[in-house]
Amino acid sequence: MSAVVKLSNVYKSFGTNKVLDGVSFEVGRGEVAAVIGQSGSGKSTALRCINALETIDGGTIDVCGHAVHDEKLDRRSLRRDVGIVFQSYNLFPHLTAEQNIMLAPSCVKKVSKAEARDLAKDVLARVGLAEKAGHYPEQLSGGQQQRVAIARSLAMQPKLMLFDEVTSALDPQLTGEVLKVMEDLARGGMTMILVTHEMAFARKVASQVVYMHKGKVWETGPGAMLDSPRTPELASFVGSGL
Amino acid sequence: MTYQFDFSSLWAYWPEFLQGAWLTLQLSAVSTVLGFVLGTLCAIGRADGPPWVKFLVASYVEVIRNTPLLVQVFIVYFGIATLGIKVSANAAAVIALVVNVGAYTCEIVRAGLESVHKSQLEAADCLGLSKPQIYWHVIIRPAIERVYPALTSQYVLLMLASSITSQISAEELTAVANRIQSDTFRSFETYIVVGIIYLALSFVVRIGLWLFGLAVFVRKRKLGTAL
């Protein structure tokens, strides 16, 4: 299994605050990696580094053949391979669901308007929102907005999808509908890295769980590792989380 | 005090009033469009340009906002003449009005640009959009929608302020009025008539900009909510 994402000894500080302290892990094609840990453990920063939203201070990150740590990185070509979904959805408020999705394919891939619209219909159907194409973000619930955001990323046909605490702003019911979409994606073979607080979801869907603590990868293993933690830190984290 | 109003002597001048009003509208329309473009470019430069551009734009805005329009009009008019370039009074008026309203537009649009959250840019960046594409699709459009009411007021003010260009003999409404009142000696009546015409013009400008807003801001038209 070839690695789609490989972090080796990644360091990152914000001022004097060491956020990533020698982080290494890799994710293979079709794998679903769940990054878990307390707030401030560096998990979101690690995710943002993978997409070059933060520049790292040391180490290497390879993503779909792009050397992300390299100063000469072509960020736009990296972004064609990597989709990211944020906690706050970040839909464009002045555009309908469909227009939100059509924007990148028409601007970046220069597909025709009709083609972009078909694409939008297709991905909206995949997230179960075919009938909401003409709705504006403010007319949608949080869960629906997040599903549109996922669809918007999918429309660019990424090789890797990153999810940054995408359900943290949602109530349990809306969380469920978003997680279901993500589970379908995982079943479809999408390579995914998700930073999440949904332990049950991580255990069920993730092929690899990465537990981060104090800027380090503290423990890593299959979902089942959450049931038999080897370190006291993970034990107490899982204990408090469930 | 008994004053006998006499509007009858003004009646003969209605084609000139009309012509003046038409020129006022034309000056205002051209200045609005060009001033909007200039102001928006300045706002982008001030928000995202290199330091020297930021400094240049900031200086321009401060100078214009802290000097009288009348003085600006004279400086443009006589300045251009001194440079040996021949332009009509109307063209000089437009230049002065554009320079003036561009500065105010810059400040208004800048507020709009700043209202667009950083996370929006991040999302667009992650979708692979280029910087100009992000500006056009994700920043400028919602920014303008948000500040459109303020811009509308500014452009109505511009139309009213264009009366000042009568001082360099641009033949707009106020200049026409000045001439008519000196012909008829009916100053009070003349300016009452002109005041009413300006009121009507303001109404026209507001309606025009409102209709334009409806056409451009589809979301606003459909939902009626503020962005």
Side-chain angles (χ1 to χ4, degrees), chain A residues 132-151:
Chain A
K132 301 286 186 192
H135 285 56
Y136 287 91
E138 67 187 276
Q139 297 174 292
L140 301 171
S141 74
Q144 289 169 336
Q145 289 191 50
Q146 194 57 293
R147 281 146 70 197
V148 172
I150 294 173

Side-chain angles (χ1 to χ4, degrees), chain B residues 168-187:
Chain B
I168 55 168
S169 64
E171 273 295 297
E172 45 68 73
L173 184 55
T174 303
V176 169
N178 293 345
R179 196 157 38 71
I180 292 173
Q181 64 93 19
S182 68
D183 282 359
T184 59
F185 300 108
R186 283 287 161 194
S187 311

Side-chain angles (χ1 to χ4, degrees), chain B residues 181-224:
Chain B
Q181 64 93 19
S182 68
D183 282 359
T184 59
F185 300 108
R186 283 287 161 194
S187 311
F188 195 18
E189 289 87 341
T190 303
Y191 288 113
I192 288 175
V193 168
V194 163
I196 291 168
I197 296 176
Y198 271 115
L199 209 57
L201 288 181
S202 293
F203 193 66
V204 167
V205 171
R206 269 186 204 282
I207 295 275
L209 289 170
W210 178 70
L211 288 174
F212 180 77
L214 282 187
V216 172
F217 306 122
V218 182
R219 190 206 61 87
K220 171 106 180 165
R221 184 176 72 223
K222 286 187 179 160
L223 306 187

Side-chain angles (χ1 to χ4, degrees), chain A residues 91-155:
Chain A
L91 293 180
F92 307 127
H94 59 297
L95 301 178
T96 62
E98 185 179 65
Q99 289 166 339
N100 261 280
I101 296 167
M102 290 165 63
L103 184 61
S106 2
C107 282
V108 182
K109 291 189 172 172
K110 311 285 178 204
V111 308
S112 72
K113 208 161 186 180
E115 243 177 298
R117 184 162 289 127
D118 287 345
L119 194 59
K121 284 213 174 82
D122 179 47
V123 289
L124 276 174
R126 277 174 75 183
V127 299
L129 290 174
E131 77 286 358
K132 301 286 186 192
H135 285 56
Y136 287 91
E138 67 187 276
Q139 297 174 292
L140 301 171
S141 74
Q144 289 169 336
Q145 289 191 50
Q146 194 57 293
R147 281 146 70 197
V148 172
I150 294 173
R152 182 173 68 175
S153 274
L154 286 179

Side-chain angles (χ1 to χ4, degrees), chain B residues 1 56 72 85 91 133 150 164-165 187 192:
Chain B
M1 194 177 80
L56 217 64
Q72 293 164 15
I85 304 163
Q133 288 170 337
I164 278 181
T165 62
S187 311
I192 288 175

